[in-house]
Amino acid sequence: MNEIMSAYHSNDNSRISWAKIAMIEEASGFIGHMIKKHFSAFSEEYYWDLFALGKIAVLESMAGFNVEKGTLTTYFTTRILHNMSYYVNTETNKSSAYYSANMNKVRSALTHFDELMIHPTAMNLSEYTGMSIRRIQTTLELLNAVNECRFDTNAELDALMSQHAISAEEEYLKQEEHQILFNALNKLNKQDRYILCQRYGLIDGQEKSLPVIAQELHISPYKVKSSIENSIEQLKNDPELYHIASC
């Protein structure tokens, strides 16, 4: 990333062009992830439009990216989301009469059940509106996407983004804390570190039970439990970890 930004800020047009291409390649996976996470209901029809808008957001704001103060994902998230949300907002405001009619029917049904203090199932909504369950499910997905992505003005969207944006300083501190934890874990022996990471999902976010870890390592659950207790005790006595825990 340092090499890309160094080339981007050079006076060499060929290096600048390379840097833009390289940055798009670096950001492509993240752009795709954002489409699937925030705009799944629109991805089948608008995926490549949204992807192009994500790339435009990266290129338009690339000049302000500082590798020392933040990560690619932290810096570009709000900019990409802003472009995509504005587009989705515009497209949903131009929904066909068919989709608009379906959404209005489901909204009316939801209001009806809400007044009765009933949380309706897809079957309830289907019986009330006369729509198929499949159409109900599709319409609910569209309604959820519209509710998440529609904003009356750019200022409203910007205000929402600023509430959730992580500052460069916060990002730096988070990275520093992660590094301290990583250093502390590296002080454990290999097996103890592996057991602790597996138990609390520190590698892939998936926590494993004592019996599962024991079976994997061909040791007893008691030994796994003892290893975890000893590791936690050792981490408690790490001065750097103690410092960030007490802040």
Side-chain angles (χ1 to χ4, degrees), residues 15 38 64 76 82 102 117 122 132 138 203 207 224 230 239-240:
R15 292 190 69 206
H38 298 285
F76 288 113
H82 186 286
N102 285 346
M117 301 181 70
S132 69
T138 300
I203 296 176
E207 298 181 0
V224 173
N230 291 336
E240 289 186 321

Side-chain angles (χ1 to χ4, degrees), residues 16-190:
I16 293 172
S17 296
W18 170 83
K20 290 179 179 179
I21 294 171
M23 181 62 80
I24 291 300
E25 289 178 351
E26 289 286 336
S28 289
F30 180 61
I31 294 171
H33 168 74
M34 290 193 67
I35 294 171
K36 291 177 182 178
K37 180 178 180 181
H38 298 285
F39 307 98
S40 59
F42 300 92
S43 61
E44 183 174 349
E45 185 174 0
Y46 298 118
Y47 183 88
W48 292 111
D49 290 335
L50 292 169
F51 191 83
L53 288 165
K55 292 196 294 185
I56 291 170
V58 170
L59 293 175
E60 286 180 340
S61 55
M62 187 174 169
F65 179 45
N66 187 331
V67 180
E68 303 300 324
K69 293 185 177 180
T71 63
L72 180 152
T73 54
T74 301
Y75 178 76
F76 288 113
T77 293
T78 55
R79 292 147 178 89
I80 293 171
L81 192 56
H82 186 286
N83 273 17
M84 292 181 181
S85 297
Y86 184 78
Y87 176 79
V88 168
N89 184 40
T90 302
E91 289 303 311
T92 54
N93 279 334
K94 297 188 297 184
S95 294
S96 68
Y98 170 78
Y99 288 115
S100 294
N102 285 346
M103 287 191 284
N104 285 334
K105 283 183 182 179
V106 173
R107 283 194 185 102
S108 176
L110 290 170
T111 299
H112 167 75
F113 284 108
D114 186 52
E115 289 172 350
L116 297 176
M117 301 181 70
I118 296 173
H119 184 70
T121 63
M123 179 64 76
N124 296 145
L125 294 172
S126 175
E127 291 173 350
Y128 185 86
T129 62
M131 296 164 60
S132 69
I133 292 179
R134 178 67 181 273
R135 190 179 300 174
I136 288 289
Q137 292 170 335
T138 300
T139 304
L140 286 172
E141 288 181 4
L142 286 171
L143 282 172
N144 287 334
V146 169
N147 289 338
E148 289 175 3
C149 306
R150 176 169 284 141
F151 302 93
D152 293 332
T153 65
N154 280 349
E156 182 182 346
L157 175 59
D158 289 334
L160 182 63
M161 291 297 117
S162 65
Q163 291 176 17
H164 301 286
I166 301 176
S167 70
E169 290 76 16
E170 288 173 323
E171 174 66 18
Y172 177 79
L173 289 173
K174 184 188 292 184
Q175 290 178 347
E176 189 177 52
E177 289 177 358
H178 286 171
Q179 186 60 49
I180 289 173
L181 176 58
F182 178 79
N183 292 340
L185 288 172
N186 270 343
K187 295 174 185 177
L188 303 174
N189 69 53
K190 186 175 180 179

